[in-house]
Amino acid sequence: SVPRRKDSVGVALVGLGHSASTRLAPGLQLTRHCHLAGIVTGSPHKIPEWQRRYGIPDRNVYSYDDFDRIADNPDIQAVYIVTPNDLPLPLTLRAAAAGKHVWCEKPMAMDAQEARAMIEACRRAGVQLTIGYRLQHEPTTRRLMAMARERPYGRILQVRAEAGFHAYDDVDPARKPWRLLPQHGGGAMYDMGVYALNAARYCTGQEPVAVRARQEIHRPHLFEGVDETMHFTLEFADGTVAECATSFGQAMNHLRVDCERGWYELSPFQTYSGLRGRTSDGQTFADSVPHQQARQMDDDALAILRGTAPLVPGEEGLRDMRVVDAVYASARAGGQRIE
Ligand code: NDP
């Protein structure tokens, strides 16, 4: 069974889907400051394999119905919510009420109002809330974040950030996955758009003051009430503009910053490995992190163990959700500029 260790945070994964099984559980085998201690799932058939593979005892297995009992479980200090986008709000409120720290995948919620409620619940419960923006823990990305502060090529004029993939051609319209359903927070903007948006914000180090957005749908039988491709432009107070795009219909993975006296880029910028940086004066740099999410979870676990502020708190997720709200509002209003 999973030992309880004072120097390691016991984590329960909530939602045993693709990301939990292919990224987070393997990542938790590499971490030093946290370990996989429990699971929360609505799919009983998944339980035996997870218990066997990761040595999870019966007492650390929960369903969504009996999840609140986690309050009494000393093996688990943090829950990591990895579900469709409508569930982080209710699950965070329950986890906070149970006195557990909350790690939550991006996007953290359906909108800014939900994000604020999550932040407030965790603040009142005295637990940490962090968002799984793995790239903000990754060194090549952090190099771009430092360049936003240091401005080695002078004023930043324009950012281009594009994140997307092509998928869903084989989906039966009568059995759509949650990423194509509006009630679960489907659509490219919520899913991949937040990578472009977050990058535009960390590459400028600023919050946008105005947003314009336009959506495109090429497969209307699949994309009903959710966006297939979203183009969005962010304006910053100092005149910098970020041109962003995201798509479920087109592969794109590129981040470029044009400045007064040069440029730099990361391409790809949001893969799990192989991030590659280049600058206009011939520098190149590449990532070297063995597992981005192991790094992320160790950083977040250390913040819990030391009682320090996490690197990527709920407030950072909220800043994205405010812009996501504006992107959707602008797209609905035919590309109107939203301040
Ligand atoms: P999946 O669809 O593969 O898994 C989601 C899991 O949520 C399901 O397997 C299920 O687990 C649980 N769930 C609970 N209720 C529902 C429901 N009504 N419909 C479907 N699933 C439900 O999604 P992903 O793992 O790909 O993505 C989950 C989250 O992780 C998303 O927010 C996504 O944006 C984020 N993500 C982040 C990544 C990153 O790099 N930071 C990478 C990929 C995803 P169970 O059966 O155990 O209840």
Side-chain angles (χ1 to χ4, degrees), residues 152-183:
Y153 301 94
R155 205 163 77 78
I156 295 174
L157 304 176
Q158 194 192 57
V159 176
R160 267 209 85 81
E162 301 174 339
F165 54 78
H166 181 95
Y168 306 119
D169 282 338
D170 300 333
V171 163
D172 172 355
R175 297 166 53 95
K176 289 182 189 171
W178 67 266
R179 280 186 171 82
L180 301 183
L181 295 171
Q183 66 272 28

Side-chain angles (χ1 to χ4, degrees), residues 15-20 40-43 46 64 82-85 87 105-107 132 134 178-179 184 191 195 272 293:
L16 308 179
H18 188 74
S19 193
V40 183
T41 179
S43 305
K46 297 178 183 173
Y64 299 110
V82 204
T83 63
N85 303 328
L87 292 179
E105 263 310 330
K106 47 54 61 178
R134 58 186 160 79
W178 67 266
R179 280 186 171 82
H184 291 299
D191 196 59
Y195 284 104
Y272 294 122
Q293 283 136 314

Side-chain angles (χ1 to χ4, degrees), residues 27-319:
L28 282 163
Q29 310 312 300
L30 305 172
T31 46
R32 289 173 47 214
H33 306 291
C34 53
H35 59 275
L36 179 55
I39 50 176
V40 183
T41 179
S43 305
H45 69 273
K46 297 178 183 173
I47 295 172
E49 171 67 8
W50 276 77
Q51 285 196 286
R52 190 189 57 71
R53 181 174 292 186
Y54 297 113
I56 296 167
D58 290 345
R59 67 173 188 279
N60 293 0
V61 177
Y62 297 89
S63 70
Y64 299 110
D65 294 332
D66 67 6
F67 168 62
D68 307 283
R69 286 195 301 107
I70 210 166
D72 303 322
N73 192 329
D75 292 347
I76 296 164
Q77 288 85 48
V79 302
Y80 195 153
I81 299 168
V82 204
T83 63
N85 303 328
D86 55 322
L87 292 179
L89 170 67
L91 290 168
T92 297
L93 300 185
R94 291 168 69 186
K100 304 300 175 184
H101 301 286
V102 180
W103 297 348
C104 185
E105 263 310 330
K106 47 54 61 178
M108 72 182 285
M110 299 285 279
D111 57 34
Q113 191 184 347
E114 288 192 3
R116 284 192 198 95
M118 293 161 67
I119 292 168
E120 180 58 15
C122 290
R123 190 190 63 75
R124 284 160 87 158
V127 296
Q128 293 205 357
L129 172 62
T130 72
I131 312 303
Y133 287 108
R134 58 186 160 79
L135 296 170
Q136 292 202 30
H137 299 259
E138 183 282 320
T140 59
T141 302
R142 294 193 67 76
R143 183 159 169 165
L144 265 61
M145 295 168 83
M147 286 160 96
R149 293 188 299 271
E150 292 155 13
R151 307 272 163 126
Y153 301 94
R155 205 163 77 78
I156 295 174
L157 304 176
Q158 194 192 57
V159 176
R160 267 209 85 81
E162 301 174 339
F165 54 78
H166 181 95
Y168 306 119
D169 282 338
D170 300 333
V171 163
D172 172 355
R175 297 166 53 95
K176 289 182 189 171
W178 67 266
R179 280 186 171 82
L180 301 183
L181 295 171
Q183 66 272 28
H184 291 299
M189 185 63 215
Y190 278 126
D191 196 59
M192 297 304 286
V194 293
Y195 284 104
L197 162 57
N198 203 245
R201 290 184 41 256
Y202 60 64
C203 283
T204 56
Q206 298 182 68
E207 299 306 316
V209 293
V211 176
R212 273 177 290 124
R214 178 173 61 82
Q215 69 163 342
E216 255 174 53
I217 293 181
H218 293 288
R219 293 173 291 176
H221 59 296
L222 293 178
F223 292 86
E224 293 171 299
V226 298
D227 52 301
E228 181 176 17
T229 296
M230 188 76 84
H231 300 274
F232 55 104
T233 304
L234 311 179
E235 296 172 26
F236 298 87
D238 67 353
T240 305
V241 172
E243 296 289 354
C244 305
T246 186
S247 184
F248 279 164
Q250 196 188 330
M252 41 175 115
N253 194 339
H254 187 71
L255 175 59
R256 178 178 166 112
V257 181
D258 282 293
C259 311
E260 270 174 322
R261 295 190 299 276
W263 53 264
Y264 45 95
E265 65 179 14
L266 262 189
S267 190
F269 82 99
Q270 41 86 0
T271 37
Y272 294 122
S273 62
L275 276 66
R276 300 181 71 82
R278 268 191 330 144
T279 68
S280 52
D281 53 354
Q283 301 175 57
T284 58
F285 47 101
D287 71 344
S288 55
V289 182
H291 194 291
Q292 289 172 1
Q293 283 136 314
R295 163 78 64 100
Q296 167 203 321
M297 292 187 284
D298 261 344
D299 284 348
D300 290 346
L302 275 175
I304 289 173
L305 293 168
R306 293 174 175 162
T308 53
L311 198 59
V312 188
E315 285 78 2
E316 170 67 3
L318 168 60
R319 288 180 205 114

